[in-house]
Amino acid sequence: MSTESEKKDYSKAKRIKIHQPDADKADRFNPRNRIYVRAVDGLWSQLRRRLGWIAMLFFLLLPWIPWGDRQAVWFNLGEQKFHIFGLTIWPQDLTLLAAFLMIAAFGLFFITTYLGRVWCGYTCPQTVWTFIFIWFEEKLEGARNKRMKLDQMPWSFNKLWRKTAKHASWLFISLLTAMTFVSYFVPTTEVYRDVFTLSASGGIYFWIVFFTLATYGNAGWMREIMCLHMCPYARFQSAMFDKNTFIVGYDSKRGEARGPRSRKADPKKMGLGDCIDCDLCVQVCPTGIDIRNGLQYECINCGACIDACDTTMERMGYDKGLIAYTTENKLDGIKQKVLRPKLVGYGVVLTVMIVIFVYASATIAPVRVDVIRDRNQLFRENNDGLIENTFTLKILNKTESAHDYKLTVEGLPESQWYGLQQVHIAGGEVLTLPISIAVDPVDLSRSMTKIDFRVTAVNDDVNDGNVIEAKQESRFFSQ
């Protein structure tokens, strides 16, 4: 909500023109040309703030959720295991990661085609952290016009302590962000205990410092530069937009011609539209654009200009919606089409990928066996006159508890097994077991026989109908 002091100083701030995009393009790193985002309140701003805080709290609290003897979400790179609540993903299951990334991609395509860049405006980490930093900036340095004046003032104790407090708060949030991010890869309690007792490894300190500086630089200093010049999404979004995509749009037919006027004045008699040219839509824009110039790739669909314009329209006694979520067709008076081939195509592919991902996640085998044949010779005849093939079995127990496993071979008549046929494997352990299979040549009708190695858990706690087993195909050679 704009303050009274901002309203009184509006005309002066407008003369300064610090917020104007033309000035910003000259040198966005120059504090005199930086974008001073004005605070605004309204439906879309409240929604963005609430979603931002929810996303922030979810990110911060997720590593602290316990799950048995570990945290619920833990990407254990050392042991090559990804724990996500009750699901453990191994390198052999990384096709799930590919499927998840495809779901994320097509989900983004689908949402962008229908609702534009709402991801950028409401849930993108760059946007969430930027607005959190701006919140601290407003609390410590004041509203927009006060921040502008403070930057133009010479250094004093008042300016020093406010700037110091602001940057200290930014660094604190950045440090908390970095430690939380590292906690997804190293147990959370270990991170905080070892870091603050100065007993953490050099790698942990490196990544904490790296992500602290990255967050501080991105959300504190670069802000819209990331969105305008570094984010690839801003560049290829046009391939997903069409004239029925919801965008933040300005109704030029209703708003033009612009011009200031009193509340009691009749704009029609003055030859004016509803836009009073207050520039509030520019002042609240986090990327510093003027939405009245039409659709621009810099717009992140955050809705801040909608709230600012609706507040002005309400104050002037005009209808809201001069700036609103709309489509190009709607602005041109053309009937809007919700269902179109591109949107339906993205939706179908997204649905198929979700079904595949859910099925693959639900059917992850709790045990895996890989069979490696002896590379030195295909077969040999042993002292008993039997044809013998040598194999190496690699058995991975993908559960988090130990099990005893029984090993069998199928597809051979009256075979003899040389080696262990029952093994004990701890949770998450890989057992390498060399074995040999021998068969009487009289019982072999072909030179190569298809066989299957089967691994079955025999623990009492799995004899409840849910059998843990795996099977792997191989070949038995006799000639």
Side-chain angles (χ1 to χ4, degrees), residues 14-79:
K14 188 175 180 181
R15 289 195 300 271
I16 296 174
K17 295 290 182 181
I18 293 178
H19 64 276
Q20 293 295 339
D22 293 338
D24 295 335
K25 291 178 181 178
D27 183 3
R28 288 186 181 271
F29 288 101
N30 189 331
R32 293 174 297 176
N33 293 325
R34 60 175 291 192
I35 295 177
Y36 293 85
V37 181
R38 180 171 181 157
V40 63
D41 195 15
L43 173 64
W44 304 110
S45 297
Q46 290 178 5
L47 177 62
R48 186 188 64 246
R49 281 195 292 268
R50 289 172 182 173
L51 287 176
W53 285 114
I54 290 174
M56 182 71 169
L57 290 175
F58 181 81
F59 169 76
L60 293 175
L61 297 179
L62 190 58
W64 292 97
I65 299 176
W67 190 272
D69 58 351
R70 59 170 173 83
Q71 62 193 54
V73 179
W74 179 23
F75 305 128
N76 188 348
L77 298 181
E79 298 182 7

Side-chain angles (χ1 to χ4, degrees), residues 462-477:
V462 297
N463 293 331
D464 56 357
N466 297 321
V467 179
I468 298 178
E469 66 177 5
K471 185 171 67 172
Q472 180 62 43
E473 180 181 308
S474 187
R475 296 291 186 272
F476 187 92
F477 290 91

Side-chain angles (χ1 to χ4, degrees), residues 250-319:
Y250 166 71
D251 189 350
S252 58
K253 295 179 181 178
R254 173 186 161 188
E256 302 296 327
R258 313 171 197 168
R261 80 294 302 265
S262 67
R263 297 182 185 179
K264 297 181 181 180
D266 187 351
K268 294 183 180 180
K269 293 181 179 179
M270 299 175 65
L272 299 174
D274 285 355
C275 179
I276 67 173
D277 203 20
C278 64
D279 268 1
L280 290 181
C281 57
V282 181
Q283 296 176 25
V284 301
C285 179
T287 58
I289 66 171
D290 190 340
I291 197 63
R292 296 171 296 180
N293 293 334
L295 178 62
Q296 299 153 71
Y297 79 88
E298 296 94 337
C299 177
I300 61 173
N301 270 29
C302 66
C305 56
I306 299 177
D307 290 332
C309 187
D310 283 349
T311 300
T312 299
M313 293 296 100
E314 187 176 19
R315 187 169 66 246
M316 295 297 296
Y318 302 161
D319 293 336

Side-chain angles (χ1 to χ4, degrees), residues 173-435:
I173 296 297
S174 300
L175 177 61
L176 182 61
T177 299
M179 295 186 68
T180 301
F181 186 80
V182 172
S183 296
Y184 282 90
F185 301 89
V186 181
T188 306
T189 53
E190 292 184 20
V191 171
Y192 286 85
R193 180 194 63 208
D194 293 348
V195 166
F196 290 114
T197 57
L198 303 180
S199 58
S201 65
I204 291 178
Y205 283 119
F206 169 80
W207 288 114
I208 288 177
V209 171
F210 175 83
F211 285 113
T212 297
L213 295 178
T215 305
Y216 174 73
N218 289 346
W221 291 95
M222 300 184 73
R223 293 186 180 176
E224 76 284 349
I225 296 173
M226 294 291 297
C227 302
L228 303 183
H229 304 295
M230 301 181 70
C231 178
Y233 181 49
R235 302 296 178 178
F236 68 74
Q237 62 169 327
S238 59
M240 292 170 278
F241 273 36
D242 56 41
K243 292 185 179 296
N244 291 291
T245 299
F246 278 94
I247 59 173
V248 174
Y250 166 71
D251 189 350
S252 58
K253 295 179 181 178
R254 173 186 161 188
E256 302 296 327
R258 313 171 197 168
R261 80 294 302 265
S262 67
R263 297 182 185 179
K264 297 181 181 180
D266 187 351
K268 294 183 180 180
K269 293 181 179 179
M270 299 175 65
L272 299 174
D274 285 355
C275 179
I276 67 173
D277 203 20
C278 64
D279 268 1
L280 290 181
C281 57
V282 181
Q283 296 176 25
V284 301
C285 179
T287 58
I289 66 171
D290 190 340
I291 197 63
R292 296 171 296 180
N293 293 334
L295 178 62
Q296 299 153 71
Y297 79 88
E298 296 94 337
C299 177
I300 61 173
N301 270 29
C302 66
C305 56
I306 299 177
D307 290 332
C309 187
D310 283 349
T311 300
T312 299
M313 293 296 100
E314 187 176 19
R315 187 169 66 246
M316 295 297 296
Y318 302 161
D319 293 336
K320 296 180 181 180
L322 179 60
I323 300 176
Y325 281 109
T326 183
T327 66
E328 290 188 71
N329 276 343
K330 190 173 182 180
L331 289 174
D332 293 336
I334 303 174
K335 183 178 179 181
Q336 178 183 346
K337 295 181 180 179
V338 177
L339 295 178
R340 55 260 198 205
K342 185 192 300 185
L343 185 64
V344 173
Y346 286 144
V348 170
V349 175
L350 177 61
T351 302
V352 171
M353 292 306 303
I354 291 176
V355 171
I356 293 175
F357 179 79
V358 171
Y359 174 78
S361 300
T363 57
I364 291 180
V367 62
R368 180 186 176 95
V369 57
D370 292 321
V371 180
I372 304 173
R373 289 190 51 85
D374 183 6
R375 298 180 180 179
N376 295 322
Q377 59 182 151
L378 292 178
F379 67 95
R380 71 182 183 89
E381 184 176 346
N382 64 19
N383 296 332
D384 297 327
L386 304 179
I387 301 299
E388 184 176 329
N389 284 201
T390 301
F391 304 87
T392 299
L393 306 183
K394 287 193 173 184
I395 307 168
L396 169 61
N397 179 7
K398 295 163 68 175
T399 68
E400 297 185 36
S401 57
H403 291 292
D404 291 326
Y405 292 97
K406 181 181 178 181
L407 314 178
T408 56
V409 63
E410 301 172 350
L412 289 173
E414 301 297 330
S415 62
Q416 294 189 23
W417 183 291
Y418 298 104
L420 296 176
Q421 273 199 276
Q422 183 162 322
V423 293
H424 180 83
I425 307 178
E429 182 182 356
V430 179
L431 175 67
T432 301
L433 179 67
I435 61 100

Side-chain angles (χ1 to χ4, degrees), residues 447-458:
S447 61
M448 183 182 68
T449 305
K450 175 186 173 183
I451 61 174
D452 292 312
F453 286 94
R454 185 179 295 274
V455 178
T456 307
V458 295

